[in-house]
Amino acid sequence: MPDWLALYYRHPIELSHGEGRHVWDTEGNRYLDFFGGILTTMTAHALPEVTKAVAEQAGRIIHSSTLYLNRPMVELAERIATLSGIPEARVFFTTSGTEANDTALLLATTYRRSNQILAMRNSYHGRSFSTVSVTGNRTWSPTSLSPLQTLYVHGGVRSRGPFASMSDERFIEACTADLEDVLGQTRGGVAALIAEPIQGVGGFTSPPDGLYASFRKVLDRHDILWISDEVQTGWGRTGEHFWGWQAHGQSGPPDILTFAKGIGNGMSIGGVVARAEVMNCIDGNSISTFGGSPVTMAVGQANLNYLLEHDLQGNARRVGGLLLERLRAIGATVDSVREVRGRGLMAGIELVKPGTDRADPDRAAAVSEAAREGGLLIGKGGGHNTSVLRIAPPLSLTVSEAEDGAHILEEALHSVG
Ligand code: PMP
C-alpha cells in the first residue's frame, strides 16, 4: 500500500464486525462508533434490512452494467430525483464521491464551455486529478497541476480568517463582495461554484445560513452554475434539513447536487443529480462500469427506506441537538477547546494551544487516542492542521449512546487537558 494511505492511531485498529452503533476489533474490544467509517455507516452497522438486500440481490445477479435495464437503479434514481428538489432532474450513479464531483465538473465545464471554477477555501471534493484542483484544503491537494482554473472564495469558515469578527449579516455581505471582486478578475464565462454546505474534511465548518442564497443571486446574474457537494451533508445528517443546501433555502435548489457515502451504508454508491438540460449536455458516450450496480442499488433502496420510515433525520435533529448541547457544556470546561460547532449529527470540536488561537494537532491526536482507550472512535479534520475532532455517528444513535459517547469524550479531553 502507498505511504500516503494514513491509518488512525499509534496502534492501528483492525475491525472485525459491528452492530448498530458499535464495532469490535480483532482483539475483542468494543467501541462506540462516532465516525461511521467517515460518515458512511448512515443507518447502522449490520442493519438486517440492508444485509438482506445484499444477500437477496447477490443471489439474483451481482452485475449487469448499464447496457441492460436495471430495475433497482432506475427505481433509486427516480426516488433521488424527487428527493433532490431539482426540477426535471436526471441522476447518474458513480462509485464514489470523487467520481460524482468529477462528473459534476465535466457537466458544468461542458455546459458553460469554460474551465473556470469557483471553489471555497478550506474545501475538500475528492482525490482525483480534477477534484484535487478544486480542493482548497492544502493537506488534501497534492498537486497544483490542474485541468481547471480555480478561484477560491471566502465563506466556508465562519470563525477564522479576515471576516471572522463580523456579524453574520456583515460576514455574508463581505463574502458576497469578495465573490463579485473575484469575478471581476476573470475573463467572464465562469462555469460553476462548487461548495460543501458544511465543510467535512475541513473540520465541520460552515458559513452563516443564507450565504449561498446571497451567492446565488450573483451567480444567476452571470449564468454560473451552483454545485452543492452533499457527500457529507446529505440524507438528513444535519437534522434540520434533508440536504445541506436547504439551510440557504431562499436560494432554491442547486443546479447540480452530488452525493455518496451514507446512501450505500458502505456499499460504493456515488452520484450526481442535475437538471435535464445540464445532465444531457455531454455529446459523447459515457459510462461507469460499476456505477449503479444492482447490489449497491438494492442496498441504497433498503437503506433509504429505513432512513425515511424511521425518521432518522428527526433523530439526528433531536439526539444530535442533545449531543451538541452536552459537547458545548464540556467544551466550556476545557481550556484547549476553541469552539464546538455543528448541526444534527455532525459535531466538531476545535482544539488549540491553551491561551492562543493556534491549532494543536498533537493534542487532537492525543484526545483521539484517549477516546479510543475509553471505547469511542471519532474522526479528525480541519484546515492546515488536523486539530478538529469530528463526531458523526450513524443517524440511528440513541440518547443513551450519545450520553455514553459524550462521557468518554469528556474524560478524554480532561485527561489530555
Ligand atoms: N466530497 C466530500 C465533501 C467528501 O467529504 C468526500 C470524502 N471525504 C468526497 C467528496 C470524496 O468522496 P470519496 O472518498 O467517496 O471519493
Side-chain angles (χ1 to χ4, degrees):
M1 312 296 278
D3 285 353
W4 37 263
L5 203 57
L7 284 165
Y8 269 1
Y9 306 115
R10 264 194 310 275
H11 302 291
I13 299 178
E14 181 188 357
L15 295 178
S16 61
H17 62 288
E19 196 185 324
R21 275 71 50 199
H22 286 94
V23 288
W24 283 258
D25 69 17
T26 46
E27 290 165 15
N29 300 306
R30 187 178 89 138
Y31 305 93
L32 196 46
D33 183 4
F34 271 22
F35 206 38
I38 323 180
L39 294 89
T40 297
T41 306
M42 172 172 81
T43 46
H45 287 283
L47 189 72
E49 288 83 345
V50 163
T51 311
K52 184 162 163 262
V54 176
E56 285 184 357
Q57 185 58 51
R60 284 196 288 271
I61 186 165
I62 291 178
H63 180 72
S64 65
S65 86
T66 46
L67 297 175
Y68 307 97
L69 288 173
N70 172 348
R71 189 175 295 269
M73 178 176 77
V74 174
E75 286 177 354
L76 186 59
E78 285 174 348
R79 293 180 72 184
I80 293 174
T82 306
L83 286 167
S84 73
I86 295 178
E88 273 291 289
R90 296 289 186 274
V91 179
F92 177 69
F93 288 109
T94 65
T95 57
S96 68
T98 296
E99 202 190 339
N101 283 331
D102 187 83
T103 308
L105 293 166
L106 176 68
L107 292 175
T109 53
T110 306
Y111 183 78
R112 294 277 296 141
R113 308 192 79 72
S114 162
N115 76 334
Q116 295 184 92
I117 296 285
L118 300 161
M120 306 304 291
R121 297 180 181 199
N122 195 50
S123 55
Y124 180 85
H125 295 291
R127 57 159 300 281
S128 69
F129 193 53
S130 75
T131 54
V132 296
S133 64
V134 291
T135 287
N137 191 326
R138 208 178 23 176
T139 324
W140 293 94
S141 188
T143 175
S144 61
L145 295 175
S146 172
L148 303 166
Q149 190 185 42
T150 304
L151 299 144
Y152 288 98
V153 182
H154 281 290
V157 181
R158 177 68 185 89
S159 73
R160 284 186 181 272
F163 307 145
S165 62
M166 296 177 173
S167 67
D168 282 356
E169 207 179 315
R170 286 282 300 117
F171 182 93
I172 291 177
E173 275 169 24
C175 295
T176 309
D178 173 64
L179 171 65
E180 302 255 24
D181 189 55
V182 163
L183 286 174
Q185 318 283 312
T186 64
R187 299 220 135 261
V190 170
L193 165 79
I194 184 165
E196 305 153 85
I198 297 177
Q199 296 185 329
V201 173
F204 290 175
T205 59
S206 56
D209 289 357
L211 176 82
Y212 292 113
S214 175
F215 275 13
R216 181 86 209 226
K217 289 192 198 134
V218 178
L219 300 179
D220 280 354
R221 271 208 314 279
H222 293 85
D223 292 326
I224 298 169
L225 302 177
W226 173 28
I227 305 170
S228 187
D229 178 342
E230 300 278 352
V231 167
Q232 298 214 5
T233 46
W235 319 109
R237 175 164 291 281
T238 65
E240 283 160 61
H241 307 103
F242 194 75
W243 304 110
W245 67 259
Q246 289 168 318
H248 310 267
Q250 317 89 302
S251 62
D255 301 286
I256 303 179
L257 178 153
T258 58
F259 61 85
K261 292 201 190 275
I263 182 66
N265 216 37
M267 283 300 211
S268 305
I269 306 179
V272 48
V273 192
R275 296 198 316 270
E277 61 164 338
V278 175
M279 182 67 88
N280 294 334
C281 76
I282 302 291
D283 72 358
N285 287 332
S286 197
I287 190 174
S288 168
T289 299
F290 294 118
S293 85
V295 177
T296 62
M297 297 292 105
V299 166
Q301 294 223 44
N303 199 36
L304 186 58
N305 287 343
Y306 190 90
L307 178 96
L308 298 175
E309 283 162 14
H310 294 80
D311 185 24
L312 295 192
Q313 178 186 335
N315 194 63
R317 186 177 61 245
R318 285 185 298 276
V319 183
L322 291 174
L323 180 60
L324 263 164
E325 215 174 283
R326 191 77 175 83
L327 296 177
R328 286 205 171 98
I330 295 167
T333 67
V334 182
D335 286 346
S336 57
V337 172
R338 176 177 182 271
E339 188 175 53
V340 177
R341 55 184 176 240
R343 195 162 218 162
L345 282 170
M346 222 173 157
I349 303 179
E350 185 177 341
L351 300 178
V352 286
K353 295 190 199 306
T356 77
D357 224 18
R358 269 182 294 137
D360 196 345
D362 292 341
R363 192 179 302 266
V367 174
S368 160
E369 293 281 355
R372 177 246 174 113
E373 287 299 310
L376 175 72
L377 303 186
I378 54 172
K380 287 178 292 172
H384 337 280
N385 278 308
T386 313
S387 58
V388 181
L389 306 174
R390 285 201 291 160
I391 292 147
L395 303 187
S396 56
L397 188 75
T398 65
V399 171
S400 82
E401 289 163 345
E403 277 165 5
D404 289 351
H407 179 67
I408 299 171
L409 208 46
E410 182 174 23
E411 306 253 291
L413 281 161
H414 283 142
S415 74
V416 174

